[in-house]
Amino acid sequence: MNKIKCVVLSFVFTFLSVFFAFSSSASLASKKTALRYLTLADEYYLQKNYKSCVSQITLGLNYDDTISDLWYMWAVVDMAMDKNINHALESVKKSLELNNWNEYKIENARLLYADLLCTTLNCRESLSVLDSAPLIYSSDAEYIRAKNYYIINSETSKIKARERVETARKIFPNDFRFLKLFFMFEDPDDENESVKSLAEKLLKQIKLSKREDFDFECLIYSIGFSSGDEKIRLLKAFNAAGFEHPLYAIYCMEENLMTEEKAFYYLKKYFDSSINVKYINQFISLISDENVINLCNKYFTSFEGELLQDSEGDGITNLFVKYSRGRPETVFYDKNQDGVIDWTLICDFGTPRTCTFNEEKKQVFWNDYPYVEKYCVPGNYEDSKFDITYSFINDGYKFNFINVRPDSILSSKLNMEFYFPDIKDFTLPDNFSKDFLTSVNFIDVNKTNDSNTLHYILEDNAPITLQYFIKDKLKSVLVFDAALPIVKLIDIDSSGVFETTDFYSFIDDSTSNKKYLEFETYILKTYMNFSYEKDFTLARIQVDRNENTVLDYAEEYFANDSKVISWDNDEDGKWDIKYYTYKDEEGKVFEKNLFYLKINNSVVEVTLKDSVPVSVSCGVENLQITKDEKEDFYWVGDFDSSLDSDYYSELARKIIMKYLKNDTVSIYEAENFYVSYYRVDNKNYGLITPKIDLVNKDENSGE
């Protein structure tokens, strides 16, 4: 026995070692294949064939998605292609989390990650990436640190930024990114001695350097810090190199190297397309020639260009304002500079009308700004998507996150009203806040790819009715009492008449009744802050098809899934058929049909078990029930012995064909008897009443 155990254990260990060896071999093969794709991606990147580069990266990740180099390379390519910064951020972050490097160094990924965080204004996190152990010190790292400090824009951080620029001037003298950074963020009119001193040193560095060592933006930004002959020399050098920039015309005006009119036409090509609004203000503040003022007045009165704003001063535009007829028409804002527009504002001749917030997919509509007309919120319920639209009472709810105000310089200098948006910090409307909820008078719910609409009507912060529309046609109205749904009027056949009425009640904890109005109450609970202690169920249904106040049909629901259905087919106010279903204590289901025989004013009771009729009674008398041999038909009562089964089957077929589509209780006259035909729950019943019985009953009643 012990030998058998040893053999079995030996076999298991051998199998496991082979299995793990095979798994390890397969994993190693996948990694080698992924690294080959990485090599191909590098080659395509050097060739600037970025699409093929991405293709190789994705193929490599299909083989092994734990290789940090592939994720890092993807982020690098994203930036080369000017793709969404968010994807680059996610990719480089993934590479750092995996920390499984083969060809590249983790320092490269940390630098890229810190740079992207800085670009998207996550400055303190960016600094943490650079300063965490092991600390990275290089020209790239110092440049990113300096940029972070400038963007933070506190007195302390600006001092740290200048220190970084001062140090870099000595340690990295050929890296002109630091010079450009200083000239972009600092103010030429700043009287701070440290700023003036550092500016002089950097200008001297530019003077002693070759022109090809720095880009034209560094040169044009530095001109603002120069003066006198040196400023004129730099302007001529800028122009001689074939460079163009709006600041060139402005600086030339300051030095009388260009007339105001010539400067206007130099800048017009920027005005006609897009230009930073601060350059317009600088230009307008310098003009004094009445002819140029009139020229500008006429031009900006019907301005059709786009104004830009770099609110962080880092050279990245984050506010875009398109004009039509001299007024803002569309405003785009990229708050964190990730290349994804955060919101889009549509204006009507400068007045805000609609704003779409892209991340939340919410929309605000104004009719009389700043008072909100509608607020649209996307939602999800189970597998369906929908839009919730709040409508407000006039002047009921105010939301003014942006002021489209006259620009002080242009308006005063040009003697006109020229508007530019002023953005304020804000949070989106809180649909649970008191001032919001008390101002709502309608809620509309539209499901995605669905023509159905739910229209809630509210009063004093409580629903009073809910209208259901299908393709703009009113189908039903749900009525509330004290915010509780109590009754629904329904037009099932689209006749314009609410022939059906549903009544609702709370579900009793002891029952298993089906839930109703789940979506309707979900909207109120989720988007109007209502709370219901229990769920709702259907208590009763009633139908009056011809509006004569006499019910044609009714259903009532009780505990333990019990229900009673009643039919009044001749509209005499008395039921003709009743159907009962109920459970006993053991959970067994019982059904019962009651038929009112007008032909002899009696009631017939049919009991069913497992949906099959098993017994029939009329008062204290038990009646025979027989399943027809050929047709789906149950005969109740005694057969005429002189007639065979074929006769009854043929008679059942005729009755079914004649009355199948007839909603009323039907009486069929045969030779010696009448058949009262009923159809309940897809079951056909024929109650036999011999004519002789009716004659005897009439004679007895005559006595």
Side-chain angles (χ1 to χ4, degrees):
M1 188 68 179
N2 291 333
K3 288 183 178 180
I4 294 174
K5 287 184 178 180
C6 290
V7 171
V8 171
L9 288 173
S10 176
F11 173 77
V12 171
F13 287 134
T14 302
F15 172 78
L16 289 174
S17 62
V18 171
F19 173 77
F20 286 120
F22 176 79
S23 299
S24 177
S25 176
S27 177
L28 184 60
S30 295
K31 181 176 181 179
K32 287 182 177 180
T33 303
L35 290 175
R36 282 199 294 270
Y37 281 118
L38 175 62
T39 301
L40 291 172
D42 289 339
E43 293 175 2
Y44 281 122
Y45 179 76
L46 293 174
Q47 298 169 14
K48 296 186 178 181
N49 187 349
Y50 300 131
K51 289 186 178 180
S52 296
C53 181
V54 171
S55 176
Q56 299 305 308
I57 291 170
T58 53
L59 286 170
L61 290 172
N62 286 335
Y63 280 93
D64 190 342
D65 61 1
T66 67
I67 297 176
S68 295
D69 309 63
L70 287 167
W71 291 103
Y72 166 69
M73 191 65 192
W74 202 344
V76 171
V77 179
D78 277 346
M79 299 311 299
M81 297 174 69
D82 290 328
K83 284 292 188 68
N84 189 328
I85 291 180
N86 287 327
H87 185 266
L89 263 171
E90 292 171 4
S91 298
V92 70
K93 183 179 180 181
K94 179 84 171 179
S95 74
L96 292 169
E97 290 171 348
L98 292 169
N99 197 22
N100 179 19
W101 300 92
N102 293 269
E103 296 184 11
Y104 292 102
K105 294 181 179 180
I106 190 173
E107 287 76 13
N108 296 330
R110 287 176 63 189
L111 284 170
L112 178 58
Y113 188 40
D115 189 31
L116 294 176
L117 288 171
C118 176
T119 299
T120 54
L121 307 181
N122 295 293
C123 298
R124 301 192 186 281
E125 187 178 354
S126 173
L127 289 168
S128 176
V129 170
L130 295 172
D131 295 340
S132 60
L135 181 141
I136 302 177
Y137 187 83
S138 64
S139 60
D140 290 331
E142 286 297 277
Y143 172 74
I144 297 169
R145 285 188 179 94
K147 187 164 66 167
N148 275 310
Y149 288 134
Y150 269 126
I151 294 175
I152 292 172
N153 197 32
S154 67
E155 286 301 319
T156 303
S157 68
K158 285 190 288 186
I159 291 173
K160 289 182 179 180
R162 293 165 193 155
E163 290 172 350
R164 289 297 192 286
V165 174
E166 174 69 46
T167 303
R169 182 182 67 83
K170 302 171 184 176
I171 301 177
F172 313 111
N174 296 322
D175 193 338
F176 284 83
R177 291 180 300 170
F178 292 92
L179 281 70
K180 180 180 176 180
L181 196 65
F182 175 86
F183 292 130
M184 281 178 58
F185 279 94
E186 298 289 357
D187 182 1
D189 298 323
D190 194 332
E191 294 298 324
N192 188 311
E193 286 300 324
S194 63
V195 174
K196 293 168 67 176
S197 174
L198 185 52
E200 290 177 3
K201 296 174 184 177
L202 298 178
L203 287 170
K204 184 177 181 181
Q205 186 176 346
I206 289 178
K207 185 176 181 180
L208 298 174
S209 303
K210 296 178 181 179
R211 218 297 306 143
E212 56 268 21
D213 289 340
F214 47 87
D215 63 25
F216 80 98
E217 285 189 321
C218 180
L219 179 58
I220 195 65
Y221 294 145
S222 70
I223 293 175
F225 289 81
S226 59
S227 60
D229 293 341
E230 180 61 19
K231 186 174 184 178
I232 293 173
R233 186 189 71 80
L234 289 173
L235 284 169
K236 289 181 178 179
F238 183 88
N239 186 51
F243 297 144
E244 291 186 343
H245 194 278
L247 284 173
Y248 173 74
I250 294 168
Y251 292 152
C252 283
M253 286 175 62
E254 291 177 344
E255 300 302 319
N256 295 318
L257 298 177
M258 185 182 291
T259 64
E260 294 178 10
E261 184 176 359
K262 188 175 180 180
F264 170 81
Y265 285 108
Y266 180 94
L267 293 169
K268 188 175 180 298
K269 59 178 174 289
Y270 298 102
F271 296 159
D272 290 343
S273 55
S274 60
I275 187 173
N276 195 308
V277 67
K278 71 178 181 180
Y279 297 147
I280 292 183
N281 283 327
Q282 285 179 269
F283 166 69
I284 296 297
S285 64
L286 293 174
I287 62 175
S288 57
D289 187 325
E290 286 297 325
N291 292 328
V292 177
I293 291 175
N294 292 333
L295 185 65
C296 291
N297 179 293
K298 182 178 179 181
Y299 179 82
F300 286 105
T301 297
S302 57
F303 183 57
E304 298 283 336
E306 181 181 36
L307 296 188
L308 314 175
Q309 188 177 63
D310 168 20
S311 60
E312 304 302 325
D314 59 356
I316 300 177
T317 300
N318 54 9
L319 181 66
F320 309 79
V321 186
K322 292 185 177 180
Y323 282 75
S324 175
R325 297 176 296 156
R327 297 292 176 94
E329 181 182 47
T330 311
V331 183
F332 306 92
Y333 186 58
D334 178 7
K335 183 177 182 180
N336 61 349
Q337 304 181 163
D338 60 357
V340 178
I341 298 300
D342 289 278
W343 52 258
T344 302
L345 177 72
I346 306 298
C347 298
D348 178 14
F349 200 56
T351 301
R353 285 289 179 256
T354 306
C355 190
T356 302
F357 300 90
N358 294 345
E359 184 176 353
E360 301 87 352
K361 305 300 180 186
K362 297 178 180 179
Q363 286 185 297
V364 177
F365 300 83
W366 296 274
N367 186 26
D368 182 17
Y369 188 83
Y371 293 102
V372 178
E373 178 186 17
K374 294 180 180 179
Y375 180 48
C376 188
V377 180
N380 293 285
Y381 181 73
E382 296 179 346
D383 294 328
S384 63
K385 296 182 179 295
F386 55 86
D387 290 327
I388 299 285
T389 301
Y390 298 92
S391 298
F392 299 87
I393 58 178
N394 292 334
D395 301 338
Y397 183 72
K398 185 187 294 186
F399 179 59
N400 55 339
F401 73 100
I402 187 169
N403 288 329
V404 183
R405 56 172 177 74
D407 182 272
S408 58
I409 296 176
L410 271 75
S411 297
S412 60
K413 196 67 175 281
L414 302 182
N415 193 27
M416 60 174 290
E417 288 188 343
F418 186 82
Y419 290 85
F420 188 80
D422 179 23
I423 301 170
K424 301 186 293 185
D425 289 334
F426 69 93
T427 55
L428 284 171
D430 178 9
N431 54 297
F432 284 164
S433 66
K434 182 178 180 180
D435 59 336
F436 183 98
L437 293 175
T438 54
S439 303
V440 175
N441 60 351
F442 301 116
I443 301 178
D444 290 297
V445 184
N446 296 93
K447 290 188 177 181
T448 304
N449 301 322
D450 193 338
S451 59
N452 299 351
T453 300
L454 278 66
H455 180 67
Y456 293 83
I457 301 175
L458 300 102
E459 188 176 278
D460 296 330
N461 192 27
I464 53 175
T465 59
L466 168 56
Q467 299 174 335
Y468 298 75
F469 291 86
I470 298 179
K471 294 182 179 179
D472 298 326
K473 187 176 183 65
L474 182 61
K475 292 293 293 183
S476 67
V477 177
L478 178 63
V479 180
F480 293 79
D481 182 19
L484 301 177
I486 55 172
V487 63
K488 182 193 286 187
L489 310 176
I490 309 170
D491 178 10
I492 292 179
D493 56 7
S494 300
S495 63
V497 174
F498 296 118
E499 76 282 351
T500 302
T501 305
D502 291 353
F503 297 86
Y504 300 95
S505 64
F506 281 123
I507 292 180
D508 192 311
D509 293 337
S510 64
T511 71
S512 57
N513 288 3
K514 181 181 177 182
K515 295 179 182 179
Y516 281 80
L517 305 177
E518 289 185 271
F519 180 67
E520 292 85 342
T521 54
Y522 165 82
I523 296 297
L524 292 171
K525 289 186 286 186
T526 307
Y527 297 94
M528 282 296 290
N529 205 25
F530 281 97
S531 60
Y532 296 108
E533 295 180 357
K534 297 180 180 180
D535 294 310
F536 294 92
T537 189
L538 188 60
R540 177 180 171 83
I541 301 174
Q542 59 187 41
V543 179
D544 177 14
R545 293 185 178 88
N546 58 6
E547 295 185 287
N548 65 351
T549 71
V550 177
L551 298 182
D552 307 307
Y553 174 87
E555 289 185 29
E556 291 185 81
Y557 298 88
F558 303 95
N560 298 318
D561 294 328
S562 300
K563 66 179 178 180
V564 178
I565 305 177
S566 306
W567 289 265
D568 180 7
N569 294 314
D570 56 4
E571 298 185 326
D572 63 353
K574 300 177 181 179
W575 61 266
D576 298 303
I577 305 173
K578 280 196 174 187
Y579 168 78
Y580 294 83
T581 180
Y582 56 93
K583 291 181 182 178
D584 64 10
E585 293 180 354
E586 297 179 357
K588 293 182 179 180
V589 178
F590 290 89
E591 298 172 86
K592 185 180 293 186
N593 291 327
L594 298 181
F595 303 108
Y596 176 65
L597 299 184
K598 288 183 168 54
I599 197 168
N600 59 5
N601 294 319
S602 61
V603 175
V604 174
E605 180 179 308
V606 180
T607 302
L608 299 90
K609 185 177 182 180
D610 296 327
S611 298
V612 177
V614 292
S615 64
V616 183
S617 63
C618 181
V620 296
E621 180 184 1
N622 291 326
L623 301 178
Q624 179 181 349
I625 182 165
T626 307
K627 174 73 168 62
D628 192 90
E629 293 183 0
K630 296 181 179 179
E631 301 296 330
D632 186 14
F633 198 95
Y634 290 92
W635 293 102
V636 178
D638 297 327
F639 286 126
D640 187 334
S641 59
S642 65
L643 303 173
D644 59 16
S645 62
D646 288 340
Y647 171 84
Y648 281 98
S649 294
E650 178 62 20
L651 181 59
R653 188 186 66 80
K654 288 181 180 180
I655 292 173
I656 292 173
M657 294 299 294
K658 183 174 182 179
Y659 299 117
L660 181 60
K661 295 182 179 180
N662 194 340
D663 290 336
T664 61
V665 176
S666 305
I667 298 177
Y668 186 90
E669 183 177 1
E671 184 175 352
N672 297 321
F673 56 87
Y674 293 97
V675 179
S676 299
Y677 172 67
Y678 298 87
R679 182 176 176 84
V680 182
D681 197 26
N682 294 321
K683 292 181 177 61
N684 301 292
Y685 297 91
L687 279 72
I688 300 171
T689 305
K691 291 183 178 180
I692 187 67
D693 289 353
L694 297 179
V695 171
N696 293 336
K697 183 176 182 180
D698 289 341
E699 290 177 353
N700 293 332
S701 62
E703 295 177 359

